[in-house]
């Protein structure tokens, strides 16, 4: 790192940075641990005042700030809108499950991928987030709730593999034992299917859980829903998934958003089962996989509709009968616009409206 963006630095890099400011290496470790707690520089009482003043004047510290927060009355899910130091806003969702807490973070402000059903991409991509801006969402949610973040899912706004270096750096930062020490296995990365990124991720050897947003079982349907499929079709995508499993030993999860009349019929379910049985076969072995079904969260601007809960149940049943592991994901935070991108979109629209009024 050649910048002064301190929260994106690994402890070793931070040591070099503080050495240049005339401080000992253990100060870097203290600073790293303080940042992992979400402390502002003024709150880092274990650091000498002179050093803190130096940091305030020299360092670029990008801890996000909570711009808006909504707590679900139904299940306690917390939806945050975080403001970055340049004013750009992103959202994240903190959920509580029986097996622990799970925090869904954004990797980009907006998204360039253009999936037809998704609110995050409606205004395109504003910019990538730095590693610290992704990390900061987890740190601040931990600080705000007072609860440990047990699992991280990179399923908020943005395509993580379109921001590869910052996302990998984020994974290394959050798993560092001097800070939050989250096990890499507790991190899920969701991709729309940027195939070269999947190969690169497998090369890092990081044992993350890979989630692939499939949403269709044939190229014509997937082309229509997800423009990325025109660059990397289903066959190329499943080949990359097999490679990921072979290299990391990690089971791949497929996300399948059910959209009424587009991909939710009995025939679609049978085709999907067939595809996954064939597609995940490698040297006569079937790589284990799991399908997460989710009923579309309706986004007004797209005109697409969710199927009924019964249709979703039937779809899951067909998959299971055909030997594919499948679950219908429970919707948390239904009353706090928990679908990704919706809160940011609303926030930007509100801001624009206000600007026009001024
Ligand atoms: N870009 C990544 C991660 C962000 S989206 C990806 O595409 O995987 C996280 C998941 O939510 C993806 O599976 C995405 O396809 C899905 N999703 C997006 N908008 C949705 C909506 N309105 N309803 C249901 N799922 C949606």
């Amino acid at each position: 790192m050649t910048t002064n963006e301190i929260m994106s630095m690994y402890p070793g890099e931070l040591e070099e940075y503080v050495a240049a400011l005339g401080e000992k290496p253990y100060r870097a470790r203290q600073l790293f641990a303080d940042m992992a707690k979400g402390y502002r520089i003024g709150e880092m009482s274990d650091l000498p005042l002179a050093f803190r003043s130096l940091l305030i004047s020299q360092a670029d510290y990008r801890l996000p700030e909570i711009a808006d927060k909504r707590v679900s009355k139904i299940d306690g899910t917390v939806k945050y809108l975080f403001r970055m130091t340049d004013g750009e806003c992103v959202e994240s969702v903190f959920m509580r499950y029986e097996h622990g807490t799970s925090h869904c973070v954004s990797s980009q402000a907006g998204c360039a991928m253009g999936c037809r059903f998704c609110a995050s991409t409606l205004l395109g991509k504003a910019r990538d987030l730095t590693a610290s801006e992704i990390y900061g969402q987890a740190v601040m949610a931990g600080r705000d709730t007072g609860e440990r973040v047990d699992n991280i899912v990179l399923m908020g706004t943005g395509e993580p593999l379109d921001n590869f270096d910052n996302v990998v750096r984020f994974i290394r930062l959050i798993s560092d034992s001097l800070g939050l020490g989250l096990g890499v296995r507790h991190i899920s990365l969701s991709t729309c299917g940027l195939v070269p990124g999947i190969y690169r991720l497998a090369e890092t050897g990081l044992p993350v859980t890979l989630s692939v947003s499939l949403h269709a079982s044939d190229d014509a349907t997937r082309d229509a829903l997800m423009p990325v499929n025109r660059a990397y079709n289903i066959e190329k995508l499943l080949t990359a998934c097999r490679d990921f499993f072979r290299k990391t030993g990690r089971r791949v999860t497929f996300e399948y958003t059910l959209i009424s009349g587009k991909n939710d019929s009995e025939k679609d379910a049978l085709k999907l089962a067939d595809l996954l049985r064939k597609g995940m076969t490698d040297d006569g072995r079937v790589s284990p996989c799991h399908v997460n079904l989710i009923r579309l969260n309706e986004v007004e601007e797209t005109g697409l509709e969710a199927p009924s809960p019964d249709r979703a149940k039937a779809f899951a049943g067909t998959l299971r009968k055909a030997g594919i592991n499948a679950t219908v994901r429970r919707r948390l935070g239904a009353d706090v616009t928990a679908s990704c991108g919706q809160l940011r979109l609303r926030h930007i629209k509100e801001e624009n409206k206000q600007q026009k009024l001024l």
Side-chain angles (χ1 to χ4, degrees):
M1 282 245 123
T2 49
T3 70
N4 58 346
E5 217 253 85
I6 53 175
M7 203 182 178
S8 284
M9 292 181 193
Y10 299 136
E13 295 167 336
L14 212 48
E15 282 184 12
E16 281 174 32
Y17 177 78
V18 307
L21 297 179
E23 288 291 342
K24 297 249 161 48
Y26 77 95
R27 293 293 182 203
R29 294 195 288 274
Q30 286 176 314
L31 176 58
F32 190 86
D34 284 344
M35 289 191 289
K37 292 186 188 120
Y39 290 171
R40 313 246 147 232
I41 291 171
E43 292 172 304
M44 298 179 180
S45 52
D46 53 345
L47 300 180
L49 270 177
F51 180 40
R52 280 193 266 166
S53 310
L54 212 54
L55 285 174
I56 288 169
S57 62
Q58 308 259 325
D60 175 8
Y61 184 27
R62 298 209 185 171
L63 190 68
E65 142 194 334
I66 300 173
D68 191 6
K69 172 181 163 181
R70 293 166 194 209
V71 184
S72 165
K73 290 193 181 72
I74 308 168
D75 49 44
T77 294
V78 190
K79 178 107 190 192
Y80 291 102
L81 187 72
F82 284 113
R83 188 179 298 112
M84 304 296 141
T85 44
D86 69 347
E88 200 48 75
C89 284
V90 300
E91 60 207 276
S92 80
V93 191
F94 187 88
M95 294 159 281
R96 297 181 186 84
Y97 290 97
E98 273 147 35
H99 57 268
T101 63
S102 183
H103 187 211
C104 174
V105 296
S106 291
S107 57
Q108 296 176 317
C111 183
M113 295 296 120
C115 298
R116 298 282 176 257
F117 44 83
C118 182
S120 293
T121 197
L122 285 171
L123 301 174
K125 177 171 98 173
R127 68 170 175 86
D128 287 332
L129 296 187
T130 63
S132 67
E133 288 171 334
I134 310 172
Y135 182 34
Q137 296 167 55
V139 162
M140 288 306 284
R143 174 172 183 165
D144 184 60
T145 59
E147 290 173 56
R148 206 191 128 78
V149 177
D150 298 312
N151 298 285
I152 285 283
V153 290
L154 280 152
M155 279 198 189
T157 292
E159 168 48 47
L161 297 181
D162 182 41
N163 186 16
F164 191 92
D165 292 341
N166 288 325
V167 164
V168 164
R169 182 171 274 273
F170 153 70
I171 293 169
R172 297 204 158 111
L173 285 171
I174 199 168
S175 55
D176 196 292
S177 57
L178 281 178
L180 298 183
L182 184 76
V184 176
R185 282 164 196 276
H186 294 278
I187 302 173
S188 296
L189 185 153
S190 182
T191 178
C192 64
L194 285 181
V195 163
I198 297 177
Y199 286 110
R200 265 183 92 191
L201 187 65
E203 287 301 323
T204 66
L206 288 166
V208 293
T209 301
L210 181 67
S211 274
V212 171
S213 299
L214 192 57
H215 307 329
S217 50
D218 61 76
D219 281 324
T221 309
R222 198 164 191 271
D223 280 349
L225 291 175
M226 305 174 74
V228 68
N229 199 64
R230 294 181 208 141
Y232 309 108
N233 66 18
I234 294 179
E235 193 191 327
K236 288 184 184 145
L237 179 57
L238 293 187
T239 306
C241 292
R242 270 203 310 270
D243 177 80
F244 186 85
F245 173 70
R246 206 184 301 134
K247 291 216 176 90
T248 63
R250 305 287 290 153
R251 178 178 89 158
V252 177
T253 299
F254 293 99
E255 303 291 320
Y256 195 102
T257 294
L258 292 161
I259 308 172
S260 183
K262 303 283 181 205
N263 65 0
D264 65 335
S265 70
E266 177 77 8
K267 214 171 118 202
D268 289 316
L270 291 168
K271 255 193 324 188
L272 178 62
D274 217 34
L275 177 76
L276 292 181
R277 269 198 316 259
K278 283 198 201 107
M280 295 306 286
T281 299
D282 186 20
D283 311 328
R285 270 183 331 139
V286 176
S287 313
C289 68
H290 185 97
V291 179
N292 261 327
L293 297 167
I294 178 164
R295 286 196 306 124
L296 179 75
N297 266 305
E298 292 174 1
V299 176
E300 206 185 290
E301 289 83 348
T302 69
L304 297 168
E305 288 174 6
S308 68
D310 282 347
R311 180 83 288 276
K313 249 188 244 163
F315 196 96
T318 306
L319 286 180
R320 279 190 220 114
K321 250 186 262 154
I324 301 287
N325 267 320
T327 41
V328 182
R329 218 192 306 155
R330 206 156 51 100
R331 273 201 205 170
L332 292 179
D335 55 338
V336 286
T337 60
S339 176
C340 76
Q342 284 181 324
L343 191 59
R344 176 173 183 269
L345 189 67
R346 215 177 275 178
H347 175 76
I348 292 174
K349 283 189 173 169
E350 277 301 313
E351 269 191 342
N352 288 348
K353 232 189 268 166
Q354 277 169 10
Q355 267 166 9
K356 271 187 204 136
L357 288 177
L358 287 175

